[in-house]
């Protein structure tokens, strides 16, 4: 930014970047073709007589490095010709400080080579917002490439966006070009088309580099394109010139944070590493815009006693940050104003209203709602703004503002729009989001009806949904906007909206796993209800808040919310509200592991729903009862509860309720070894979720099917389903689902011998559970890791991990999980010689499994108990345990457990000297273990090869 104050405003705006050095112009003013020849007095431009002596078909042959610069002044043109010995020719001066744009420079270098190879004229448009550095970039490229163009380089300033100047007329620009080509004035036609044709003929076969700077549009540029011959034309503009046929667009964005910082330090000549963080903050406040960065760098360069922090503080404290980024006669605000002022009046008003859209991103429909226009008009206006780089397009027809543009527009809007107009913009947008969220909820969750709040009339939604999948897609894509809209509603004291949005979004957020967002919105809803003095709404908001608090692990806070809501509903005599709070308190107790109290609350809630005839809520509560029964080890009772809930949802034709019940039922059946029915029920649920377009639950169900395949020893099928689910969870951003998939996938891999990958998956699963504060999940993953340490012979590590698991579970441990952990702990203790503790833990684990009826675990724990006895030399007790395991496995069709029991019996027979029978048992075990790819196969094979079961 050196000597920037010495430049005329137009020069700085043209350069946009804030280049250092004085721009030198040697020019002649040609205001009209009939001006006296004495007006052309510049000695660096050939005289008219010299022009007339130049061969018409030998443009620039006398000086193959000639660079011509054309600058229009109120319809006239300034021409300058540089010396062939000049390094910069007649191009405007530039600075050696240039950062970034590597890919863009490479693209234009390739274009220069292509024009040479093909012999055709190639056009590149360089567009971008005001101040992004289009001119600086074009000049940088010109200096890098000019030697590739032996017939000269040309720079023409077209003044598409110059203060107090009209854009150059194509005819005037052509006049200057033709004069520069050596055509006598009297031979230049008046007609623009004729001048353009003459220009193309004179440049045909020439290789030139042409820069047409700050174009007003395609119509201005078309006549100026030279003839075919291998020229490269670079057109800079604030407008996307989609109407320029054959042109390749190249859009410049603001610099990256690193590039902007390098530009600032280079221009300010400050490279103090201690100020690096302040520089980063400053260029962020400048929006990484080269013009803004250059202005602030120039300011610092002229203030040697200042620190970068001083500039940061100035911008942070400024009432109008954009107008504060200025130098003596150049400002970012003035550059942005030129773009704004070029818009039609109706689009200007549209843009000002849009600047008060409550969200940072907007689509056609929310923009239409905010501005009170129909969607077609809004779409056309948005297209105009996008073409003029006043808005950015994040994805298809989803737009946002550059930070500096947004702030500048709001200042202008404050000065030109009434307070009522601005407030109506916000309210119309909130009306739209509330109405559209209602419409999406209604089609997405059939059978669920959320009535509008009393006194709230829903606006007509501008978005129509024809399928549940489309409704879900809208809710997902607008989630951040809906969140922001709710915040703005409470800030603007629009309490009906602040209450209504969380209310209608709650079920979606719950189903999709956006629990953190749900918690934030429900807290806002509570505040809005308190402001409105609406006790019923307050009770509902507290119930929803308590539910999500509990799900996130904040059980004390969740219970407090539910108790407060319960008191409100009792005072109102509202039985539905009372039943809702009882159900949520039951779920809270389940999360705490207090299953008896959970069942008490849930049964009370079920009875309450039955009294008011709400079959759907009753069925939902019965499903929750089934989950608690399953966690308590009451497996047959759990199956019956889920069957009853399924029956009720089928009677209501509630497809979502049916699918949820099938999922629960399929999981519960695995506890009573009903694997075939489990697979069928889960597959039916999967198909329903597919029909409903509920991809999240579809993925959950595929994962559940993979888990059942794991239990039935279909390891390849399990790995396929679990791997697919894992990938989908990651794409959905569902970290809880990701953790569960990793847990089971890691378990399958370890059971099939892939310990390295499996252990990695289990550790990642535990880490995610910990991040999510999902205590039970973390303990399950650690328990599995402890079991793997025990299986791998790492007994000390196993005892450490498994003992810690008990502390993590605390009150929330389920009987089945406790039994699994105790059994693994016992095996590790036995391996280290602590047989007493081992037998105590294994006997305890067996008593739990027998009490809850978990036959698979009973067979496995009997096998573990047998190994402990065998290891201590007590063969009779070992044989008794293995016999018990075999009996249980055969009775309940458990092939893996049967094979393990056969292995144990084979080892006992070997110890008894009955080697032939021992070998027979071991071979039978090996056959099945090998067929399913079990990791246990290698152990049995090793036993056989070492002589266990060999003949005497």
């Amino acid at each position: 930014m050196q000597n920037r104050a010495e430049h005329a405003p137009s020069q700085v705006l043209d350069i946009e970047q804030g280049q250092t050095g004085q721009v030198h112009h040697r020019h002649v003013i040609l205001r009209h073709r009939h001006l006296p020849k004495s007006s052309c007095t510049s000695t660096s431009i050939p005289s008219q007589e010299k022009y007339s002596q130049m061969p018409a078909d030998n443009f620039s042959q006398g000086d193959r490095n000639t660079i011509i610069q054309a600058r229009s002044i109120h319809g006239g043109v300034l021409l300058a010709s540089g010396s062939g010995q000049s390094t910069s020719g007649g191009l405007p001066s530039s600075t050696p400080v240039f950062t970034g744009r590597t890919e863009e420079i490479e693209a234009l270098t390739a274009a220069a080579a292509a024009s040479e190879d093909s012999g055709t004229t190639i056009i590149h448009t360089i567009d971008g917002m005001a101040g992004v550095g289009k001119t600086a970039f074009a000049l940088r490229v010109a200096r890098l490439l000019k030697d590739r163009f032996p017939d000269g380089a040309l720079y023409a300033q077209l003044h598409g966006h110059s203060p107090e100047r009209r854009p150059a007329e194509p005819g005037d620009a052509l006049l200057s070009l033709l004069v520069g080509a050596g055509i006598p004035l009297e031979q230049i036609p008046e007609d623009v088309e004729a001048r353009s044709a003459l220009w193309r003929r004179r440049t045909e076969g020439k290789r030139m580099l042409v820069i047409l700077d700050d174009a007003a549009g395609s119509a201005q540029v078309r006549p100026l394109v030279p003839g075919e011959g291998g020229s490269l034309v670079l057109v800079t503009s604030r407008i996307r010139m989609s109407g320029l046929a054959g042109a390749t667009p190249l859009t410049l964005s603001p610099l990256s944070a690193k590039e902007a910082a390098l530009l600032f330090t280079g221009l300010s000549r400050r490279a103090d590493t201690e100020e690096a963080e302040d520089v980063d903050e400053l260029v962020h406040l400048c929006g990484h815009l080269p013009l803004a960065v250059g202005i602030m760098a120039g300011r610092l360069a002229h203030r040697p006693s200042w620190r970068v922090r001083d500039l940061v503080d100035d911008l942070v404290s400024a009432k109008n940050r954009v107008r504060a980024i200025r130098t003596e006669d150049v400002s970012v605000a003035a550059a942005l104003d030129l773009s704004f002022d070029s818009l039609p009046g109706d689009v200007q008003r549209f843009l000002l209203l849009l600047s008060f859209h409550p969200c940072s991103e907007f689509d056609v429909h929310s923009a239409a709602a905010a501005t009170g226009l129909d969607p077609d008009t809004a779409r056309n206006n948005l297209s105009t703004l996008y073409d003029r780089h006043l808005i950015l397009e994040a994805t298809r027809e989803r737009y946002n503002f550059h930070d500096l543009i947004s702030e500048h527009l709001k200042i202008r809007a404050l000065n030109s729009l009434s307070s009522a107009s601005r407030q109506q913009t916000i309210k119309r947008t909130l009306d739209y989001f509330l109405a559209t969220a209602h419409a999406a909820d209604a089609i997405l969750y059939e059978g669920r009806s959320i009535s509008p709040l009393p006194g709230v009339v829903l606006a007509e939604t501008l978005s129509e949904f024809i399928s549940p999948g489309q409704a879900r897609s809208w809710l997902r894509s607008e989630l951040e906007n809906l969140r922001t809209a709710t915040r703005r509603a409470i800030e603007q004291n629009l309490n009906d909206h602040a209450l209504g949005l969380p209310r209608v979004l709650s079920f979606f957020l719950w189903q999709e796993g956006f629990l953190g967002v749900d918690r934030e919105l429900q807290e806002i809803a509570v505040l809005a209800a308190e402001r409105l003095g609406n006790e019923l709404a307050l009770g509902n908001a507290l119930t929803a808040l308590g539910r999500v608090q509990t799900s996130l692990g904040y059980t004390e806070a969740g219970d407090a919310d539910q108790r407060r809501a319960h008191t409100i509903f009792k005072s109102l005599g509202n039985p539905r509200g009372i039943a809702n709070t009882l159900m949520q308190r039951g779920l809270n107790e389940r999360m705490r592991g207090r299953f008896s109290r959970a069942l008490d609350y849930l049964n009370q809630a079920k009875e309450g729903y039955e009294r008011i005839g709400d079959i759907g809520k009753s069925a939902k509560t019965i499903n929750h009862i089934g989950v608690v029964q399953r966690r308590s080890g009451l497996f047959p009772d759990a199956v019956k509860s889920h069957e009853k809930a399924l029956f009720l949802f089928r009677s209501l034709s509630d497809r979502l309720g049916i699918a949820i019940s099938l999922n629960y039922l399929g999981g519960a059946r695995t506890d009573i070894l009903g694997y075939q029915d489990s697979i069928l029920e889960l597959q039916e649920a999967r198909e329903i979720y597919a029909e409903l377009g509920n991809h999240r639950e579809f993925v959950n169900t595929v994962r559940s099917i993979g888990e059942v395949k794991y239990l039935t020893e279909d390891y390849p099928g399990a790995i396929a389903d679990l791997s697919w689910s894992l990938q989908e969870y990651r794409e959905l951003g569902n970290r809880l689902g990701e953790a569960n998939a990793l847990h089971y996938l890691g378990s399958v891999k370890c059971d099939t011998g892939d310990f390295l990958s499996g252990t990695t998956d289990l550790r990642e699963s535990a880490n995610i559970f910990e991040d999510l504060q999902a205590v039970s999940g973390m303990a399950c993953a650690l328990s599995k890791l402890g079991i793997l340490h025990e299986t791998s012979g790492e007994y000390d590590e196993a005892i450490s991990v498994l003992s810690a698991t008990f502390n993590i579970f605390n009150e929330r441990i389920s009987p089945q999980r406790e039994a699994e952990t105790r059994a693994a702990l016992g095996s590790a203790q036995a391996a280290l010689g602590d047989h007493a503790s081992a037998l105590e833990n294994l006997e305890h684990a067996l008593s739990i499994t027998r009490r809850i009826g978990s036959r698979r675990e009973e067979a496995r724990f009997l096998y573990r108990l047998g190994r402990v006895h065998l290891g201590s030399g007590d063969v009779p007790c070992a044989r008794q345990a293995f016999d018990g395991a075999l009996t249980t496995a055969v009775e309940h069709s458990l092939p893996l457990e049967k094979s393990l029991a056969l292995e144990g019996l084979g080892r006992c027979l070997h110890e008894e000297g009955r080697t032939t029978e021992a070998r027979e048992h071991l071979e039978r075990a090996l056959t099945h273990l090998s067929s399913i790819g079990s990791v246990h196969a290698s152990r049995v094979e090793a036993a056989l090869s070492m002589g266990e079961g060999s003949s005497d």
Side-chain angles (χ1 to χ4, degrees):
M1 298 298 296
Q2 183 184 23
N3 299 326
R4 192 177 175 95
E6 299 175 13
H7 300 336
S10 62
Q11 293 171 3
V12 179
L13 285 171
D14 294 341
I15 297 174
E16 295 187 294
Q17 157 93 7
Q19 303 294 317
T20 62
Q22 176 66 39
V23 178
H24 299 285
H25 295 291
R26 299 180 298 275
H27 55 266
V28 57
I29 301 177
L30 301 176
R31 294 189 181 277
H32 192 274
R33 62 174 300 210
H34 297 302
L35 286 177
K37 293 181 181 180
S38 60
S39 299
C40 304
T41 57
S42 173
T43 58
S44 61
I45 295 293
S47 66
Q48 181 63 53
E49 289 76 15
K50 184 174 182 180
Y51 279 137
S52 62
Q53 296 169 7
M54 296 174 71
D57 60 350
N58 196 28
F59 174 50
S60 294
Q61 282 192 2
D63 181 0
R64 300 179 69 84
N65 290 318
T66 295
I67 298 176
I68 301 172
Q69 178 181 352
R71 298 181 61 86
S72 67
I73 300 182
H74 299 293
V77 177
L78 301 183
L79 291 176
S81 175
S83 165
Q85 286 71 43
S86 171
T87 58
S88 62
L91 293 173
S93 298
S94 62
T95 177
V97 179
F98 187 93
T99 63
R101 314 298 191 202
T102 302
E103 291 183 5
E104 292 88 346
I105 290 174
E106 289 176 354
L108 292 184
T109 301
S115 68
E116 183 176 6
D117 294 340
S118 65
T120 59
T121 294
I122 294 178
I123 307 170
H124 272 261
T125 59
I126 303 168
D127 56 69
M129 66 177 287
V132 81
K134 300 177 292 295
T135 301
F137 171 72
L139 293 175
R140 176 74 169 185
V141 171
R143 282 172 171 76
L144 292 173
L145 301 181
K146 65 184 180 68
D147 290 341
R148 291 172 175 254
F149 297 93
D151 294 310
L154 177 145
Y155 171 91
Q157 169 58 262
L158 301 182
H159 289 296
H161 299 84
S162 291
E164 301 179 1
R165 294 190 182 209
R166 295 178 59 188
E169 294 293 336
D172 293 327
L174 283 166
L175 176 63
S176 68
L177 297 173
L178 290 167
V179 168
I183 309 300
L185 285 174
E186 58 272 16
Q187 293 182 19
I188 298 176
E190 291 279 358
D191 182 66
V192 174
E193 291 185 4
R195 288 182 179 180
S196 180
L198 180 59
W199 167 245
R200 288 194 299 274
R201 287 197 303 273
R202 291 295 180 176
T203 54
E204 188 172 353
K206 309 295 183 186
R207 279 188 44 74
M208 303 167 57
L209 175 61
V210 180
I211 301 175
L212 304 176
D213 195 17
D214 192 19
S218 300
Q220 185 190 39
V221 171
R222 287 190 199 102
L224 310 183
V225 176
E228 294 295 339
S231 294
L232 176 64
V233 182
L234 305 181
V235 185
T236 73
S237 181
R238 299 185 187 186
I239 298 174
R240 301 176 195 273
M241 288 186 289
S242 56
L244 191 59
T248 301
L250 192 157
T251 298
L252 297 185
S253 300
L255 299 172
S256 68
K258 181 179 180 180
E259 292 165 348
L262 288 173
L263 178 64
F264 178 84
T265 55
L267 292 173
S268 65
R269 296 173 175 80
R270 296 283 188 92
D272 190 344
T273 56
E274 293 182 0
E275 293 188 289
E277 290 186 4
D278 292 334
V279 170
D280 290 342
E281 186 175 356
L282 179 65
V283 297
H284 175 73
L285 289 169
C286 291
H288 301 147
L289 195 66
L291 174 60
V293 172
I295 289 174
M296 300 309 291
R299 184 178 300 177
L300 188 64
H302 286 275
R303 299 273 191 166
S305 64
W306 284 24
R307 305 286 292 174
V308 178
R309 187 75 234 171
D310 297 323
L311 298 179
V312 172
D313 292 342
D314 285 350
L315 291 187
V316 170
S317 61
K319 291 183 179 179
N320 187 335
R321 172 167 50 121
V322 179
R323 291 204 179 277
I325 304 175
R326 60 171 298 117
T327 184
E328 183 179 0
D329 53 3
V330 179
S331 74
V332 172
L336 297 179
D337 283 338
L338 288 171
S339 294
F340 180 86
D341 293 340
S342 68
L343 297 171
D346 59 331
V347 182
Q348 288 183 2
R349 178 174 174 78
F350 173 84
L351 181 56
L352 292 176
L353 289 172
L354 197 58
S355 71
F356 272 84
H357 192 292
C359 305
S360 59
E361 188 176 275
F362 43 88
D363 65 0
V364 170
H365 294 105
S366 70
T371 57
L373 300 176
D374 63 88
D376 287 341
T377 302
R379 178 177 283 106
N380 290 335
N381 287 346
L382 289 169
S383 181
T384 297
L385 297 176
Y386 175 73
D387 286 345
R388 293 172 181 260
H389 286 282
L390 286 165
I391 58 174
L392 308 170
E393 187 174 38
T395 57
R396 176 174 166 78
E397 292 196 332
R398 293 190 67 83
Y399 302 97
N400 55 57
F401 287 110
H402 182 275
D403 185 36
L404 296 183
I405 290 179
S406 175
E407 184 168 330
H408 187 58
L409 288 173
K410 284 178 180 175
I411 297 295
R412 288 195 66 139
L414 285 171
N415 295 328
S416 57
L417 296 178
S418 67
S419 175
S421 294
R422 300 193 301 270
Q423 188 70 11
Q424 277 299 309
T425 296
I426 297 172
K427 185 178 182 302
R428 282 193 301 259
T429 310
L430 298 180
D431 286 343
Y432 161 76
F433 279 126
L434 183 56
T436 310
H438 266 279
D441 181 84
I443 194 171
L444 185 56
Y445 304 115
E446 55 180 334
R448 171 180 143 84
S449 176
I450 296 293
S451 58
L453 293 168
V456 176
V457 179
L458 292 180
E460 180 182 357
T461 179
L462 299 175
S463 297
E464 297 181 358
F465 307 114
I466 60 175
S467 69
Q470 192 180 45
R472 177 177 286 102
S473 177
W474 183 86
L475 286 167
R476 285 176 181 163
S477 63
E478 293 290 353
L479 179 58
E480 191 56 39
N481 278 343
L482 291 163
R483 186 180 187 180
T484 303
T486 307
R487 292 176 187 151
R488 291 298 301 274
I490 200 71
E491 291 168 4
Q492 297 291 321
N493 212 30
L494 295 170
N495 295 307
D496 287 333
H497 297 83
L499 183 59
L501 281 166
R503 185 165 175 261
V504 75
L505 292 171
S506 180
F507 195 67
F508 165 77
L509 296 173
W510 175 263
Q511 285 289 305
E512 296 292 314
F514 298 112
L515 302 186
V517 178
D518 195 11
R519 181 189 184 196
E520 176 191 353
L521 298 195
Q522 297 308 329
E523 287 174 338
I524 292 174
V526 168
L527 177 58
E530 289 173 338
R531 286 182 180 177
L532 292 168
N534 187 331
E535 287 291 293
L536 178 60
L538 178 58
N540 286 328
L542 284 166
T543 301
L545 177 59
R547 179 205 66 215
V548 72
Q549 297 265 44
T550 297
S551 298
L552 287 169
Y554 305 107
T555 52
E556 291 295 335
D559 195 50
D561 291 331
Q562 298 300 344
R563 287 198 305 271
R564 185 181 171 195
H566 189 79
T567 300
I568 292 172
F569 288 129
K570 284 188 72 174
S571 69
L572 294 173
N574 187 307
R576 180 180 298 279
I578 293 171
N580 286 341
T581 57
L582 286 168
M583 181 174 70
Q584 294 303 326
R585 294 191 75 179
L587 298 179
N588 190 308
E589 295 299 330
R590 187 190 80 189
M591 287 286 291
R592 293 176 169 187
R594 302 197 290 228
F595 301 133
S596 177
R597 294 178 66 175
L599 287 173
D600 182 48
Y601 280 125
L602 290 170
N603 279 308
Q604 288 184 59
K606 178 178 72 72
E607 292 167 4
Y609 290 130
E610 288 173 348
R611 281 194 294 271
I612 63 176
D614 192 333
I615 299 174
K617 277 293 187 70
S618 178
K620 181 178 180 180
T621 309
I622 292 169
N623 267 332
H624 289 312
I625 290 172
V627 172
V628 176
Q629 290 168 331
R630 188 180 179 196
R631 291 282 300 275
S632 303
L634 305 173
F635 300 140
D637 291 341
V639 170
K640 289 177 182 177
S641 292
H642 294 312
E643 286 177 335
K644 183 175 180 180
L646 177 60
F647 172 80
L648 292 174
F649 280 123
R650 288 195 192 278
S651 72
L652 295 172
S653 299
D654 184 336
R655 300 285 284 165
L656 180 60
I658 292 169
I660 292 171
S661 299
L662 286 166
N663 244 336
Y664 281 133
L665 183 57
R669 285 207 194 278
T670 62
D671 297 321
I672 59 172
L673 311 182
Y675 298 122
Q676 185 174 0
D677 287 338
S678 174
I679 288 288
L680 292 174
E681 285 153 355
L682 290 170
Q683 287 174 340
E684 183 182 353
R686 182 187 62 189
E687 297 310 311
I688 294 173
Y689 287 130
E691 292 171 11
L692 295 176
N694 191 332
H695 187 62
R696 177 178 180 272
E697 290 302 328
F698 181 90
V699 176
N700 283 337
T701 308
V702 173
R703 189 200 78 212
S704 297
I705 292 172
E707 293 167 12
V708 177
K709 289 179 179 178
Y710 168 47
L711 294 174
T712 56
E713 301 161 24
D714 177 8
Y715 298 140
I719 289 176
D721 285 344
L722 293 167
S723 297
W724 181 86
S725 301
L726 176 62
Q727 180 62 34
E728 293 300 305
Y729 283 133
R730 284 172 171 165
E731 290 185 7
L732 291 170
N734 185 338
R735 299 204 73 210
L736 182 60
E738 180 183 357
N740 281 313
L742 282 166
H743 174 74
Y744 282 98
L745 187 59
S747 299
V748 179
K749 289 177 179 178
C750 289
D751 283 0
T752 53
D754 187 359
F755 289 106
L756 180 60
S757 179
T759 302
T760 299
D761 288 346
L762 286 165
R763 285 186 177 134
E764 186 178 354
S765 172
N767 290 336
I768 295 174
F769 281 130
E770 184 176 15
D771 290 344
L772 297 175
Q773 299 180 342
V775 179
S776 296
M778 180 172 63
C780 289
L782 289 175
S783 177
K784 184 66 179 181
L785 282 169
I787 293 170
L788 286 174
H789 286 306
E790 181 270 326
T791 304
S792 304
E794 301 166 344
Y795 302 118
D796 288 325
E797 186 69 20
I799 290 174
S800 175
V801 173
L802 292 168
S803 297
T805 301
F806 281 116
N807 296 328
I808 294 171
F809 268 126
N810 199 6
E811 288 183 321
R812 283 181 257 197
I813 190 167
S814 70
Q816 183 166 327
R817 200 64 68 187
E818 178 186 0
E820 292 172 356
T821 306
R822 285 189 180 277
L825 183 59
S827 295
Q829 289 167 333
L832 293 176
D834 187 359
H835 290 89
S837 296
L839 291 173
E840 180 183 350
N841 274 313
L842 283 164
E843 291 289 357
H844 195 158
L846 273 169
S847 68
I848 293 173
T849 58
R850 285 166 176 162
R851 174 171 57 82
I852 65 178
S854 181
R855 301 308 177 195
R856 175 189 289 274
E857 276 64 38
E858 180 181 356
R860 290 187 174 187
F861 299 164
L862 282 168
Y863 166 74
R864 284 179 177 272
L865 182 62
R867 291 193 63 177
V868 172
H869 283 307
L870 191 61
S872 64
D874 190 347
V875 178
C877 285
R879 179 162 186 163
Q880 182 181 358
F882 290 136
D883 276 334
L886 182 60
T887 300
T888 302
V890 171
E891 182 180 345
H892 295 285
S893 302
L894 302 170
L896 175 60
E897 288 68 25
K898 175 183 174 182
S899 299
L900 294 175
L902 286 170
E903 177 204 356
L905 286 170
R907 292 180 184 275
C908 287
L909 289 167
H910 174 75
E911 292 297 322
E912 294 171 350
R914 299 160 64 179
T915 54
T916 301
E917 292 174 81
R919 185 173 188 83
E920 180 182 318
H921 278 70
L922 291 171
E923 286 178 343
R924 287 171 62 191
L926 180 60
T927 298
H928 178 70
L929 293 172
S930 299
S931 70
I932 64 173
S934 171
V935 67
H936 301 292
S938 59
R939 184 182 64 245
V940 178
E941 189 172 15
L944 283 167
S945 65
M946 291 176 65
E948 293 189 30
S950 298
S951 299
D952 293 336

